[in-house]
Amino acid sequence: MNLYNTGRQLFLPVQTRLEERFEHYLGEANTQAVDTLKNFIEQQQETLVFLTGPEATGKTHLLSASVHYFESFHQSEHLEANYFSLSELINVSLDQEKLSELSSFLENFDLVALDNLDSWLNWLSENDHDSVYLAEKFLFGLFNFSKEQGKQLLIASRTVPSRLGLELKDLQSRLSSGLLLTLTKLDDHEKDQLIRAMAKLKGFMLDDDVSGYILKRCGRDLPNLLQILDKLDQASLIEKRKLTIPFVKKTLNW
């Protein structure tokens, strides 16, 4: 059984709320990351950008946005990009044949965005240690191919290369040779700006008191905030009501 069907994209990007464009990535502390990624994509002078940061800092958003931006910017050159979450390989029994097949697929693209590197390697280390070397050789080979062919890699991880615990030191050297972008979590003011901006893009408004209430009530966890915003959006459309604090309380059973 093949690891993937070559008749379609191997793994689709995680479902996104705003089609994950750079213009939808908010937060003043991280705007430099967008500028760096755009320059990386436009100039094509570097092989690798390694994106790191804790949960809920938008790593997946930036990878997906980079794929879209790459294909838009290089449309006339017919260059293609692919988003691939390595967490899809968790619980998959790996062997050299499957990883070679995967490598062959990814090598078709001019830019590959690999997400959740640390999650995959940590799982292998704890559950399938015999495959760790194969996984690291796969990554090493993909980097070398990209370097030789003038293609590009984007890799996202919560951990910087030096703390991944890699057994293949040549791989650590390759991953450390790229541009390192470190993301930081949004503060409460930036989260408030984010949910209000996203609400506006969805076609409804959040007053200051409503957004402040939501932030205070839901614990400020960004993924949870985004799920809540989706739920409120659906409820307001169905009931054709403006978002007020009483309506939010009723909809979310707060």
Side-chain angles (χ1 to χ4, degrees), residues 30-94:
N30 296 320
T31 53
Q32 183 181 353
V34 172
D35 293 339
T36 299
L37 288 170
K38 284 184 175 180
N39 184 68
F40 169 74
I41 289 166
E42 293 170 7
Q43 300 300 320
Q44 292 186 289
Q45 294 178 347
E46 300 283 346
T47 300
L48 171 67
V49 167
F50 197 97
L51 197 62
T52 187
E55 289 289 347
T57 50
K59 295 186 293 297
T60 296
H61 184 126
L62 287 178
L63 292 189
S64 296
S66 294
V67 167
H68 174 265
Y69 188 80
F70 182 92
E71 293 192 332
S72 297
F73 188 85
H74 296 291
Q75 184 175 11
S76 63
E77 304 162 75
H78 305 290
L79 301 184
E80 296 184 330
N82 179 269
Y83 169 91
F84 182 90
S85 176
L86 290 165
S87 62
E88 297 286 351
L89 297 179
I90 291 175
N91 294 319
V92 173
S93 178
L94 296 177

Side-chain angles (χ1 to χ4, degrees), residues 91-190:
N91 294 319
V92 173
S93 178
L94 296 177
D95 56 33
Q96 184 62 58
E97 182 180 359
K98 287 179 180 177
L99 288 175
S100 294
E101 191 178 3
L102 178 57
S103 293
S104 296
F105 176 81
L106 295 177
E107 287 171 2
N108 291 317
F109 297 93
D110 302 283
L111 178 143
V112 173
L114 296 177
D115 206 355
N116 300 306
L117 173 62
D118 58 312
S119 298
W120 180 45
L121 292 179
N122 288 341
W123 183 86
L124 286 174
S125 180
E126 294 174 3
N127 299 278
D128 187 13
H129 192 268
D130 291 342
S131 296
V132 169
Y133 181 73
L134 291 177
E136 293 187 10
K137 287 289 287 184
F138 154 73
L139 293 168
F140 183 75
L142 186 61
F143 176 93
N144 286 341
F145 177 85
S146 300
K147 184 76 172 177
E148 293 166 1
Q149 299 299 317
K151 299 191 176 190
Q152 294 183 293
L153 287 173
L154 283 173
I155 298 179
S157 168
R158 290 168 297 184
T159 308
V160 296
S162 61
R163 295 185 178 180
L164 285 171
L166 298 170
E167 297 180 6
L168 188 59
K169 296 307 176 185
D170 283 345
L171 174 60
Q172 180 175 314
S173 175
R174 298 298 191 277
L175 296 182
S176 298
S177 70
L179 298 174
L180 178 65
L181 292 182
T182 302
L183 305 178
T184 58
K185 287 189 175 183
L186 301 183
D187 60 27
D188 286 350
H189 175 67
E190 289 173 327

Side-chain angles (χ1 to χ4, degrees), residues 193-204:
Q193 287 184 314
L194 172 64
I195 63 173
R196 291 172 63 184
M198 291 185 70
K200 184 176 180 180
L201 288 166
K202 286 174 176 290
F204 64 95

